[in-house]
Amino acid sequence: EELFKELKQKYPKIQMIILIIQKFKEFYGKVKKAGDRTVGIITQCVTDGNVKNVKPVIVGNLLLKINAKLGGINTILDVDSRPVVFEHPIMIMGADVNHAPASDT
């Protein structure tokens, strides 16, 4: 937490910190709490295994996450292809509760 505070003070316009971490759940939670919640710096964690064995699908997913976290739009429906349900204000919610690894066939 102190390191995030120092970085925020030294670089007030900082937008994001990307951390390469080992797969420790306790450390991930502490990073998220300190950076995203306490100090207000967006964080993106990448496991060291994904850095050592980088694959295009991992890079693509990582870039989609980073873009969304920085306020970007990853997908948008073309006006002509929108279903009739979008004719009125609507909120659609979804949850990804389980998914196979990227390399699963």
Side-chain angles (χ1 to χ4, degrees), residues 39-52:
V39 180
I41 299 175
I42 299 168
T43 59
Q44 177 62 56
C45 294
V46 183
T47 61
D48 58 347
N50 283 336
V51 172
K52 291 175 187 172

Side-chain angles (χ1 to χ4, degrees), residues 5-90:
K5 288 178 182 177
E6 288 175 25
L7 289 169
K8 182 83 171 185
Q9 186 175 19
K10 188 172 181 179
Y11 306 101
K13 293 184 179 183
I14 192 168
Q15 293 184 26
M16 173 181 272
I17 296 175
I18 300 174
L19 298 104
I20 300 170
I21 62 171
Q22 292 180 339
K23 209 167 188 173
F24 293 124
K25 290 183 181 179
E26 304 90 34
F27 186 72
Y28 175 83
K30 289 178 181 179
V31 164
K32 290 298 181 180
K33 182 179 178 191
D36 294 60
R37 291 175 36 201
T38 305
V39 180
I41 299 175
I42 299 168
T43 59
Q44 177 62 56
C45 294
V46 183
T47 61
D48 58 347
N50 283 336
V51 172
K52 291 175 187 172
N53 301 312
V54 68
K55 296 177 181 160
V57 70
I58 292 171
V59 174
N61 287 337
L62 184 61
L63 292 174
L64 287 170
K65 285 183 178 185
I66 290 171
N67 185 53
K69 288 179 179 185
L70 294 175
I73 297 172
N74 289 334
T75 59
I76 190 165
L77 290 174
D78 183 64
V79 176
D80 296 330
S81 65
R82 291 184 186 166
V84 70
V85 71
F86 287 108
E87 290 180 4
H88 302 285
I90 186 169

